[in-house]
Amino acid sequence: MKTSKSVVIVGAGIVGINCAVELAKSGHAVTVIDRLPPGEGCSFGNAGILAASAFEPLAGPGTLLQVPGWLINPQSPLFIRWQHLPRLTPWLLQYARAGMFGDFNAACEALYSLMSPSVHLYERLLKEAGASDLIVKNGGMYAYTDQKKFLRDKAANDRRVARGFLTETLNEDDIRAREPLLAKQYKWAYVVRDIAHTLDPKGIVDALGTYAERLGVTIKQATVQDIEVEPEGVSAVLTDQGRVPCDSLVVAAGAYSHKLCKKVGDRVPLDTERGYHVMVRNPGPVPTMPIMDGGLKAWITPMKEGLRCAGTVELASLDAPENFDRARNLLRLAKRMVPSLNHTEHDFWMGCRPTLPDSLPVIGPATKVRNVFYAFGHHHLGLTGSPATAQIIGQLVSGRQPNRDISAYSVERF
């Protein structure tokens, strides 16, 4: 096996760019291909949270019990466009099966392995890239207006503590002292001190992309049209800008990844959580840390451009038109959470998060083609899980055994 390889990565989001940096540092000649500039897809619009303690799968018994109530509430964390239900039904059945019969503890362990080192890894990466100021370590708050929901989530907080994360339980007075701008109806909260956030999600992709180019990575804006598959493996990626030969291919194309998987013989039940955000510009004073509304599962995050409110899930299809009523709900939530908020200037955004029914990403080799590797399906945890994912991809492409168990991420589970 050659020490240095020519590697093509399809996808210039946070996962693909992290993989590019890792592979370049391992001595490979790397080309990143995407139809959009780096960070212009789903990586642009996340809540900016580095949630090292976010190791519980969405597909779990606790979540499933809440789904019926969510579906009849248009302002709930989950919304399904009913005209897409026939297409979504097989995926939803797999999701329900994973939640009811899947190994919850094993899924937690697999996500913990990816998410827990995120803050440390980003600190190192951004220091190398000269952009350490993009990360803030102020912790994060889960705040509640309903004591029943607060108590319901105590089990999740206890599991964080059991894993060694530092948390605090706040009463009403504690909340006022910690975040006086938060609305008074928030009377119960958990603070997770290990949470960090970025002041600029796209800025992280840009900084790491620039660092990757300094390491010799070529970033090419082009549309992938096909791949050449020969008996010994993929030999080239075909784009509207020409043919790009390669020794190895990494598929990190987010919600579009399943289309390339199919070309090399793997069928993956990948679908999209359509995520929305509202960016409030010139908001006036804002909280010091990210705060999640414990009922609606949406975050407000202080950023360089203002205050971003992001979250909730819409299930439809990749090409369905935007439903900005979801973003308007987020704006109303931001105003409720911070009553003093100046919301005159704001922008709405929608992006497609790549999601698999068991809440775990696909990371590892293809089943039928030896030189293809997968790195996608991180749903709402792509920012957090990218550096550890890149380490695994770097080891696999270089022919080394990963330093952690990656069996839970295998495409063969489908």
Side-chain angles (χ1 to χ4, degrees):
M1 186 173 291
K2 293 189 294 186
T3 302
S4 177
K5 300 177 181 179
S6 60
V7 183
V8 167
I9 300 171
V10 178
I14 189 64
V15 175
I17 292 297
N18 264 285
C19 289
V21 169
E22 185 70 25
L23 288 165
K25 289 166 70 175
S26 298
H28 301 293
V30 181
T31 300
V32 179
I33 302 175
D34 199 308
R35 62 187 178 85
L36 298 173
E40 290 286 346
C42 190
S43 298
F44 176 86
N46 57 64
I49 312 297
L50 298 180
S53 59
F55 57 82
E56 296 201 359
L58 288 177
T63 303
L64 287 176
L65 292 173
Q66 298 176 69
V67 168
W70 285 345
L71 292 180
I72 61 175
N73 178 2
Q75 298 190 38
S76 74
L78 174 63
F79 179 78
I80 296 178
R81 292 201 191 182
W82 296 108
Q83 64 267 38
H84 298 277
L85 188 58
R87 186 192 65 80
L88 288 167
T89 296
W91 188 93
L92 290 169
L93 290 173
Q94 290 186 64
Y95 173 84
R97 189 180 304 118
M100 290 187 292
F101 305 114
D103 190 330
F104 180 78
N105 291 330
C108 287
E109 188 63 38
L111 286 174
Y112 175 80
S113 178
L114 283 182
M115 305 304 158
S116 59
S118 62
V119 177
H120 166 71
L121 293 177
Y122 269 117
E123 285 183 311
R124 188 182 71 194
L125 278 168
L126 292 174
K127 182 178 180 181
E128 294 170 2
S132 297
D133 59 340
L134 289 176
I135 296 292
V136 177
K137 296 196 297 182
N138 280 351
M141 181 185 293
Y142 298 83
Y144 300 80
T145 61
D146 184 324
Q147 189 177 25
K148 289 183 179 179
K149 293 176 180 177
F150 168 74
L151 293 174
R152 182 196 63 206
D153 287 355
K154 182 179 183 301
N157 193 65
D158 289 344
R159 287 190 286 269
R160 295 186 197 107
V161 173
R163 291 274 184 177
F165 293 102
L166 303 174
T167 75
E168 303 171 61
T169 301
L170 306 187
N171 61 28
E172 188 174 359
D173 291 338
D174 297 330
I175 295 171
R176 300 286 82 75
R178 187 71 63 88
E179 291 292 353
L181 295 173
L182 190 63
K184 292 181 180 180
Q185 59 260 42
Y186 289 93
K187 299 180 179 181
W188 304 272
Y190 303 107
V191 167
V192 182
R193 290 165 56 186
D194 305 87
I195 288 178
H197 72 279
T198 176
L199 298 173
D200 185 356
K202 186 178 184 303
I204 285 191
V205 183
D206 290 340
L208 293 179
T210 299
Y211 179 38
E213 289 178 317
R214 292 206 307 267
L215 293 171
V217 173
T218 298
I219 299 177
K220 185 179 182 67
Q221 187 173 343
T223 298
V224 173
Q225 297 176 326
D226 207 347
I227 54 178
E228 289 183 0
V229 184
E230 300 182 1
E232 63 272 19
V234 169
S235 58
V237 174
L238 306 180
T239 79
D240 60 352
Q241 304 293 315
R243 179 179 183 272
V244 184
C246 61
D247 298 318
S248 293
L249 171 65
V250 177
V251 178
Y256 300 87
S257 297
H258 60 299
K259 297 181 179 182
L260 288 177
C261 296
K262 188 176 179 180
K263 290 181 179 294
V264 294
D266 287 320
R267 292 185 177 272
V268 185
L270 184 72
D271 220 295
T272 175
E273 293 179 33
R274 293 158 57 87
Y276 292 84
H277 86 221
V278 56
M279 175 61 81
V280 181
R281 304 181 188 282
N282 301 313
V286 296
T288 64
M289 68 173 71
I291 303 174
M292 190 188 81
D293 179 282
L296 293 179
K297 309 300 182 186
W299 289 90
I300 54 171
T301 307
M303 294 186 178
K304 283 199 309 185
E305 294 186 0
L307 186 73
R308 178 174 292 183
C309 186
T312 74
V313 172
E314 179 187 63
L315 298 178
S317 68
L318 277 172
D319 55 358
E322 296 91 343
N323 173 19
F324 283 129
D325 283 344
R326 301 292 289 169
R328 293 183 187 94
N329 287 342
L330 291 171
L331 179 59
R332 285 190 284 269
L333 173 63
K335 291 190 290 185
R336 286 200 305 271
M337 293 181 74
V338 183
S340 62
L341 186 70
N342 174 17
H343 59 275
T344 305
E345 298 179 45
H346 58 266
D347 303 316
F348 295 145
W349 174 91
M350 188 280 291
C352 296
R353 306 183 190 118
T355 305
L356 290 148
D358 60 0
S359 303
L360 296 175
V362 172
I363 308 170
T367 60
K368 296 179 175 63
V369 181
R370 64 168 185 82
N371 63 342
V372 176
F373 303 90
Y374 298 142
F376 61 84
H378 296 73
H379 54 103
H380 63 287
L381 295 172
L383 176 65
T384 304
S386 294
T389 298
Q391 288 182 333
I392 295 169
I393 293 299
Q395 291 159 349
L396 290 171
V397 172
S398 299
R400 304 194 304 270
Q401 183 69 26
N403 59 2
R404 69 193 80 199
D405 181 7
I406 66 168
S407 59
Y409 320 126
S410 172
V411 72
E412 293 186 76
R413 70 187 192 267
F414 302 114

